[in-house]
Every structure is written in structure tokens, then in C-alpha cells.
Amino acid sequence: MAEKVTIADVARYANVSRQTVSNVLNSPEVVREETRRRVREAVRVLGYRASQAARQMRTGRSRLIAARIEPAQQDGINGSVFDRFLHGLTESAARAGYRVLLYTADDHDAELATFDDLLGVYVPDAFVLTSTDYGDPRAAWLLEQRIPFVTFGRPWGVPPDQKYPWVDVDGAAGTATATRHLLAAGHRRIAFLGWPEGSGVGDDRRSGWARTLAEAGIGPDELSELDHRTEDGVPEGAAAVTALLAAGRPVTAVVCVSDSLAIGALQAGGDVAVIGFDDTPVARAVGLTSVSQPLGEAAARCVALLTDMLDGDAARRRSHGDAAPPDDDTGAPANTSVNQGAGARGPSRTTTSGDSPAHVLLEPTLVHRRSA
Amino acid sequence: MAEKVTIADVARYANVSRQTVSNVLNSPEVVREETRRRVREAVRVLGYRASQAARQMRTGRSRLIAARIEPAQQDGINGSVFDRFLHGLTESAARAGYRVLLYTADDHDAELATFDDLLGVYVPDAFVLTSTDYGDPRAAWLLEQRIPFVTFGRPWGVPPDQKYPWVDVDGAAGTATATRHLLAAGHRRIAFLGWPEGSGVGDDRRSGWARTLAEAGIGPDELSELDHRTEDGVPEGAAAVTALLAAGRPVTAVVCVSDSLAIGALQAGGDVAVIGFDDTPVARAVGLTSVSQPLGEAAARCVALLTDMLDGDAARRRSHGDAAPPDDDTGAPANTSVNQGAGARGPSRTTTSGDSPAHVLLEPTLVHRRSA
DNA sequence: TTGAAAGCGGTACCAT
DNA sequence: ATGGTACCGCTTTCAA
């Protein structure tokens, strides 16, 4: 294995000074064409790659994005959602010249401590937060420290003076689509199996169902009769549907806030149509129709938002050395301006109302299987 | 937010040289008690944390462990296994003063290229490889470059001259336990639903079943009649069991190489007892008895093996600065010597036969649910 | 357009 | 036991 090739080696080989090499890498336009060629050739021949540590010492940028890896939560069924997001994040980050650094934390306090630790030692350039919800202190902390971050998830119940960029999937749109699908199939008695009130994500998903039924002429009374709340879990879902079926006017279909509840609903038997949320592996396994989040896209948008903050206007300078030989412009949708109008790019809305930070709301899709 | 505190600030505050501060941090025993105290106090007051980048420049160690995050594979049911491992890895690594750096790669070639890239830029101190199997070129590459690494998974079909440390779970022991459980429950016709021959993991799991039935007096002919091979997947599992039930002498129980196949087996109905492998979320959701791998323990062992290589005999020096205030000795089982005899620590075997690298074989457990 | 020199924040080596 | 100094590899500033 070749010993470490430094910028000095390249300079020597190309008969230029170290600075010129650095310039070729970081500000090519300032170097004469022919010199540039010679240096690039030297880089290629020697297999030179800039040391991130050395670069970080000068620039202060680590090209690291920190993300928490969550333990398998609850029954683990919904865990795969986060994992798929994380995979997309790693992929998009790499395209943009960043790497993902993992950390764990059992609760918010531990996480803040980890932030502090990480920032003192590895100094990630940014954080990606997931599973944000009411009373989450993490965003405020990062905001105060002026550390760049994005959340995957809207700022539920966050004080209006706390503004930060986020990416999310429109849960209400998802359940609305699911409900319309059931209406179109002839169902009228369509229940909603949701979590107890107070969860941003859960309430949002409920609203799409409620709105759609209301539009279809279902009155408020019947609506609340069809609205069922329970903790997440397979047995909970089964119990809920059993109850729903035993009611005076039984339901014929159920829209669920999660695949866990939906699996339970399916197990309860009866002849109800069931639609879940998140399109987890279980859904496919048991043939459950489910609302699917575009997680890869969401991750890519998170990275795009971050690079917009981090690379600033220098973003176009292709500043991450030569690690990516093909000067592809086919990379991540990093150039998706945060100022684009609504719907400029597929089923999503990127907004920059006034001076508030950019955010992206993505549309989920319904994956049809035999359960509905 | 306090501006960055450097070692010079600490030195000034404590009235010593930078070198002495460094010594207190890295070789405390060389500093006089009272000086040490003063420096430690300064560190505390100032909130000093050593910059990893600067340290890396001198020492060449990045305190980064690279691991690949895999995309949701196949039907994704087994994906959670890897994710749980990754979570454990992150946790154990943090305890040992390391962080996990993520990367992706679509195939072996891309992964080798990523190795090269990573080593040139972020320079991880070690790699953790998963899903190793026949013809996997990654280990050979890392071995040749003399990069420290561990695999989670035995070196299936690796040339005997390629030796490296690994951690694995004894799949055969798992299926043996499953099979014994079914035998004890009175079953005689116990089929095995496995993958096509040629997969190290799959063949290993099959062998545990075969061995146990043979010991119970089942002849070779009946054994091969009970041995069913198919691609992984829920529908495949259902089809296989349907076939098995239609046979002349139907089976009453099935041991499966994966939860995916087991779910299928369950769906096929009939009155067969089913046992899966990996105890994925789906298993819990549908009440499937399944063999569970001790993934957290496996991850901890991987980290222990790595730190043994990386920190060498300095391992005991608690050398990762002050990031971990509580000088806990309750941390990872990092002190589990690689030379301990068999079974010294719970249900696992750590071996160092001759001069071959250390490896650990962990015992899985059977999680009982209503499917068997 | 190119080069020389300083300095980022640590650690290793050598003196004291 | 403690301090001085060089140096890790890179980028930035300033001169040539």
C-alpha cells in the first residue's frame, strides 16, 4: 500500500508549489489551463486525496453530518421507516461530499449532552433530527448554539419564534388518499384507528381522514363515532376493530395511523377493508394496503437543505476535492432551489414564505395490496 | 456559545505548558498529583475537549469505525436485524471512545472503491463488515491493505490463509434448539424450509436441524424428504408449506431459515407448528416463535475485538480524554480477554486456537410465541 | 498566475 | 516532572 500521498508530493510531481495544487482543487478557475492539467494528472497518477483532518484544521469544516440511530421502538414494526431514511441520508450525503456520523441517546437530555460532546470533539457540520414532537428541546438548543440542522418532521408545537428548516411528508394527504380510495370502492362506514390525541404526526394523519369524510357528507356526529383512539400496537389494533365491529352500525373499512394497528385490524378478521401507514415490510408480507412515505426523497431534501446552508454560494464550486472523479451533475437534487414555486418538482411543495427557513412537504403514495 | 477552547487555554489557566496538559490527558501517571488536579480543574472549568482533527493529524488515528448501512433487502423483513446490530455497534463504539461512520455501496466493487475513498479522506481506524459470504473480496482487500477490521459473520468459504477476527451467532445451535423444542412437543415430521444450497448462513442453519433430527433417529431418506429449499420470501414460504402438506406423509411442523419464509408458512394455514429465524418485528406481530440473535452482544464483541487491535496494550489507559466523566468500568465487555476458555462468559465461545485471530461465536435463543 | 510563510490544535521527542 | 520545539497536511494571506 502506497504511503500517504500529501499535497507536497503532488506539487513536487507537477513541478508547482503546494498552493497551486490547493488552488487547482479548490479554485480551479484561478489556475492556468495547462498548469491545471498537469496538476490534475499528478493527482491522478499519485492517487492523491486531501486529508479531511488537515483540511478541517484550517477550514473548521468536518464534512460530517450527525444523525441519531434509534433503537427498535415499540414493537419495531415502524422502525424500518427510520432505517430507510437513514440509508437515503447516507447516500445523498455522500453525493454531496458529506458522511453520516451516528450517535445514540436514550432521551432528550442525553441527546443534548451528546450534541455538546460531538461538537467539542468531531465537530459535525450539521445535525439531522428525526422524531421531533411537542416539547422537544433539541431544536431550541441547536438554534441557540447556531448549529445548522434540519428536522425530518414538522415543528409540531414549536414556539413561533423558533424557525428552522424541515422536511416532512404530508400525512393528512396520505390518509385523505386512503379514505378517497375506500369511498370510491363503495365504503361509507370508514373508521379511523389513531393514536391518542396530542401527537403531531397522529393528529395530522387523522385530519386527512376526517376532512375527506366530511367532504363526502359525513356529519360530525358520525365522524366522532368512527374515530377510534388507542395506543400503538398489534393487539391494540385487533381489540379496536373488534369493538368497532360490535357496534350498532358496524364499520366496513378502517384507515390506520400505523401498520402496527393495521396488522391488528387485519387479524381481528371480520370483512373489513384495512389501510395502514408507512408501508413497512410487514405490510408487504401480509398484503396490507398502506400509505408509503418517499423516504429516499425526504433524505435527499434534508441534505439539499443542509448543503444550502453549509456550502452557501460556494456550492457551485464543486468544492469537495477530487473524490468524485465523474463530474456528474446528475447527483442529488442539491440544486433544487429553496425558492422554487409550489410543485415545481414532482409531488412536493417547497416553500419560503417571507424570511422563514426553507421547508419541504412531500406527498406520500398509496401502495395497493389485497387488504383494501 | 463559548469560542473553541484549546489546549493552550487550559495550559494558561492551569499555569503549565501545553505539553503537561496533554500528559494529564493521555498519560496521567507521568504527572505529579497536584499538577494533575490543577489541570483537570482547568479542563472542567473551561469545558475543554480535545479536537479530534488536530489529534488525528499527529497520531494518525481518527477514532472512527466505518460500517455499511444496507438498503432494505428483499422484502425487508430481515432488514431489522442489521439495523439492530448497527444500533448496538454505535452504542458500544461510543463507550470505547469511537464513533460509527456510515457508508453505502451497491456491490462489492463499489464497496472496495468506497474503502479506498474513505481511507484517503476520513481514514477510519477500522471497518466492520456484515453479510460476508462466499467469494466476498472485501476481507482480502482489507487484509492486504493491513486495515483492521472485524466481520459479523463467519468467513464462509474464505481461503484458509486469510485469517481475521470475526463474531457470529451459531445458527446451527439455533435451529437445533428449535427442532428439539418441536420434538419435545411431540412432533416427528419436522420439515426444514431453507434457502438453496450455497449460502453459508443458510447451510449452517440447516445443519442444526438435520443434526438434531438425525440424533432423534430420523433416517437420511426421510431427512431429505423433509428438507425443502426455496428462495426467500413470504409467498415462497406459503407455496412450500402447501406442497409439504400435500405430500404423502404430511409434515406437522416446520423450522424456517428466516422469518419471511415462516410468515409464509403460517399463512399457508394447515395446522403446522412454525418456527422462524431472527425474531424480526413481524414475528412478534403475528405471534411467530422465532430464533433470536443476541445482536447487541454481537456488536459489543465486534467493538471489543477492534479495540483490542487498535488500542493495543494501551487499552487500559482510558485514553479517550474526558468525554466520559463517569470512569465506569461497567462499560462494554471490552476486557473480555480473547484468550478466555470456552464458555467463560455466558452462552458464547471465544477462541484463539494457535495464532489465528480471535473470534466469538454467540448462542441464539428461542423466543416462544403461539406459532409453536 | 504562482510562490513563500503562517497557523489551525494537538502530540512526540528532547532538554532541563 | 515539566517545558520547548518541531511537525502532522492543509488553506489562507500576502508578495512576487
Side-chain angles (χ1 to χ4, degrees), chain A:
Chain A
M1 52 179 293
E3 278 318 300
K4 202 171 215 82
V5 180
T6 79
I7 202 171
D9 299 322
V10 177
R12 205 171 307 127
Y13 187 99
N15 258 309
V16 295
S17 71
R18 301 186 306 166
Q19 296 60 34
T20 301
V21 177
S22 178
N23 282 336
V24 171
L25 265 29
N26 301 312
S27 318
E29 68 282 2
V30 90
V31 179
R32 182 163 31 114
E33 160 75 34
E34 198 266 330
T35 313
R36 202 188 311 160
R37 244 194 9 74
R38 239 180 35 245
V39 171
R40 288 226 166 97
E41 173 69 4
V43 164
R44 206 184 53 69
V45 171
L46 267 30
Y48 168 79
R49 242 85 48 79
S51 149
Q52 177 51 41
R55 173 178 285 178
Q56 180 178 347
M57 287 214 60
R58 267 325 280 193
T59 63
R61 333 288 296 6
S62 63
R63 304 209 74 93
L64 248 27
I65 294 175
R68 187 179 103 201
I69 179 164
E70 321 205 350
Q73 61 234 64
Q74 309 162 71
D75 57 13
I77 288 186
N78 298 315
S80 71
V81 171
F82 172 72
D83 299 321
R84 281 184 284 163
F85 174 77
L86 195 54
H87 185 268
L89 195 69
T90 305
E91 205 159 86
S92 296
R95 273 196 236 280
Y98 287 83
R99 294 283 167 185
V100 174
L101 190 70
L102 249 32
Y103 67 91
T104 55
D106 291 334
D107 54 52
H108 287 325
D109 280 348
E111 190 159 357
L112 295 189
T114 303
F115 285 172
D116 196 53
D117 183 43
L118 244 22
L119 288 169
V121 181
Y122 292 85
V123 204
D125 291 338
F127 286 79
V128 174
L129 263 36
T130 51
S131 311
T132 56
D133 215 323
Y134 298 104
D136 190 328
R138 299 175 298 167
W141 194 93
L142 291 172
L143 233 25
E144 199 199 338
Q145 315 277 325
R146 320 190 113 259
I147 309 294
F149 72 102
V150 197
T151 65
F152 176 38
R154 271 160 283 180
W156 303 110
V158 165
D161 58 310
Q162 286 179 26
K163 304 228 186 273
Y164 53 79
W166 52 263
V167 173
D168 204 359
V169 173
D170 192 340
T175 47
T177 302
T179 308
R180 276 196 301 274
H181 173 68
L182 293 169
L183 285 168
H187 292 279
R188 290 289 118 181
R189 298 281 298 171
I190 305 171
F192 183 78
L193 220 57
W195 299 319
E197 204 156 3
S199 124
V201 173
D203 296 348
D204 178 49
R205 293 181 185 176
R206 171 179 294 112
S207 73
W209 160 84
R211 178 218 306 157
T212 306
L213 280 197
E215 285 167 7
I218 309 288
D221 288 349
E222 187 173 0
L223 216 54
S224 74
E225 178 192 330
L226 290 167
D227 186 1
H228 199 103
R229 289 144 201 232
T230 174
E231 292 298 329
D232 201 48
V234 174
E236 285 81 356
V241 167
T242 302
L244 249 14
L245 288 176
R249 293 191 297 166
V251 306
T252 65
V254 195
V255 174
C256 303
V257 75
S258 75
D259 275 1
S260 295
L261 286 171
I263 299 290
L266 236 35
Q267 287 180 358
D271 195 26
V272 290
V274 178
I275 297 184
F277 207 111
D278 274 346
D279 190 28
T280 57
V282 211
R284 185 184 312 197
V286 306
L288 171 69
T289 292
S290 190
V291 177
S292 173
Q293 302 198 39
L295 298 169
E297 171 79 2
R301 295 309 190 97
C302 284
V303 171
L305 253 27
L306 285 181
T307 53
D308 276 347
M309 312 175 65
L310 296 174
D311 300 344
D313 38 22
R316 239 123 260 103
R317 262 200 276 143
R318 295 259 137 254
S319 55
H320 48 289
D322 50 310
D327 45 352
D328 61 66
D329 285 67
T330 63
N335 287 333
T336 303
S337 163
V338 294
N339 289 317
Q340 69 182 42
R345 179 201 171 77
S348 71
R349 288 164 257 148
T350 303
T351 322
T352 308
S353 42
D355 57 343
S356 81
H359 49 265
V360 179
L361 195 57
L362 266 14
E363 299 284 330
T365 55
L366 190 62
V367 178
H368 299 273
R369 300 211 181 80
R370 55 174 197 280
S371 78

Side-chain angles (χ1 to χ4, degrees), chain B residues 150 165-167 300-309 316 333-345 349-361:
Chain B
V150 196
W166 53 263
V167 173
R301 295 308 189 97
C302 284
V303 171
L305 253 25
L306 285 180
T307 54
D308 276 346
M309 311 176 66
R316 239 122 260 106
N335 287 332
T336 304
S337 163
V338 294
N339 288 318
Q340 70 182 43
R345 179 201 170 77
R349 288 165 255 149
T350 305
T351 322
T352 307
S353 43
D355 58 342
S356 80
H359 48 266
V360 179
L361 194 58

Side-chain angles (χ1 to χ4, degrees), chain B residues 241-260:
Chain B
V241 168
T242 302
L244 249 15
L245 288 176
R249 293 191 296 168
V251 306
T252 65
V254 195
V255 174
C256 303
V257 75
S258 76
D259 275 1
S260 295

